[in-house]
Amino acid sequence: MNFNAYSVLCVVDTLRPFPMYRIGVAGVNQTEDYVEVQVERTVDARVGSPVQAYALVRVPWISKDVKCVNLPFETGIVDPYMPELGTSECLMIAKEEYPEETFWFKFTEDGKLLIERRNVMMNCANTVLEASVAQEEMKIVIEETESRDVDLALCRCLKTAAYEADMANGSDSLQVELHTSTTEFTRTAIFKIPGHGSGEIVVRDTEVSYGK
């Protein structure tokens, strides 16, 4: 290859316990100050043997700084894990295999926004992740609170919780403010999702702040 004419972009992801995880470059855009590389990821998020995905892409020679932008997950799972709304039991995943916490969403044709919060650290007791969803123009504000009206256990584990809201699809982009308060942490995550279709966002990849 002529390295005077071309550059090679190597995108490497962290080790993840998802055997069907894939990563790639969706686009390379030139800006005045840097080159934007759009990173796309496709995942069937069921836990299995760990994999480390990577991609190599040849592009015209780059002389500017490179900035990677993570696009929303594309997932082959069109239906939620959980057969009904509510909170699961402990997922019984070994600590060394903890998958990342994600925000799965799907806009339905009948005006519903389905949300499934995957791998949320909660108390081992039979608690519930209660949620309220409000739309403010192009922004969605979600308040998630772990119920504490039960006898808490002396342990924590990952759980999945599902809930829904009335919301028409069709918007190009929506900003999500996700406020989560459990017995383990209080946190605000801010990210964008398309206002249609479905996808999955890794919460750790977003703008996150913690508080008491």
Side-chain angles (χ1 to χ4, degrees), residues 183-199:
T183 51
E184 300 303 321
F185 61 86
T186 297
R187 182 195 59 217
T188 296
I190 301 174
F191 51 92
K192 289 186 177 181
I193 63 172
H196 54 276
S198 65

Side-chain angles (χ1 to χ4, degrees), residues 3-208:
F3 284 97
N4 292 321
Y6 297 98
S7 297
V8 176
L9 299 175
C10 180
V11 181
V12 182
D13 203 83
T14 57
L15 188 68
R16 299 176 186 268
F18 306 135
M20 298 302 294
Y21 188 91
R22 299 290 183 270
I23 192 169
V25 174
V28 179
N29 300 321
Q30 295 273 355
T31 72
E32 183 177 351
D33 300 320
Y34 60 88
V35 175
E36 179 185 88
V37 178
Q38 296 181 335
V39 180
E40 62 180 356
R41 295 166 291 174
T42 303
V43 60
D44 180 335
R46 288 176 171 80
V47 177
S49 300
V51 297
Q52 187 166 29
Y54 67 91
L56 295 172
V57 181
R58 188 183 76 169
V59 297
W61 188 72
I62 294 175
S63 60
K64 304 175 183 177
D65 291 338
V66 175
K67 178 180 179 181
C68 290
V69 176
N70 288 329
L71 300 179
F73 267 126
E74 293 183 4
T75 174
I77 303 171
V78 296
D79 295 317
Y81 285 169
M82 299 176 62
E84 58 186 20
L85 305 181
T87 305
S88 73
E89 301 290 335
C90 286
L91 298 180
M92 306 304 292
I93 299 173
K95 185 174 182 179
E96 61 271 15
E97 296 180 352
Y98 276 2
E100 291 174 300
E101 179 186 336
T102 63
F103 178 95
W104 178 94
F105 65 92
K106 179 181 179 181
F107 289 89
T108 67
E109 294 181 356
D110 59 351
K112 296 287 185 182
L113 170 60
L114 305 180
I115 295 172
E116 192 168 277
R117 295 282 286 108
R118 297 173 173 171
N119 311 318
V120 181
M121 189 66 70
M122 299 172 64
N123 193 271
C124 291
N126 189 26
T127 60
V128 175
L129 190 67
E130 300 174 342
S132 64
V133 183
Q135 184 172 10
E136 302 173 0
E137 296 182 349
M138 303 303 291
K139 180 172 71 174
I140 302 174
V141 179
I142 302 174
E143 301 283 347
E144 296 179 337
T145 305
E146 183 180 10
S147 64
R148 307 185 186 189
D149 54 351
V150 298
D151 292 333
L152 298 179
L154 297 178
C155 64
R156 61 181 186 172
C157 65
L158 298 182
K159 297 181 181 180
T160 294
Y163 50 89
E164 68 177 18
D166 293 324
M167 194 165 301
N169 64 56
S171 301
D172 289 336
S173 178
L174 292 171
Q175 178 171 294
V176 177
E177 287 187 9
L178 177 65
H179 306 282
T180 305
S181 177
T182 73
T183 51
E184 300 303 321
F185 61 86
T186 297
R187 182 195 59 217
T188 296
I190 301 174
F191 51 92
K192 289 186 177 181
I193 63 172
H196 54 276
S198 65
E200 190 169 14
I201 300 292
V202 176
V203 173
R204 193 169 64 180
D205 287 350
T206 68
E207 178 183 340
V208 173

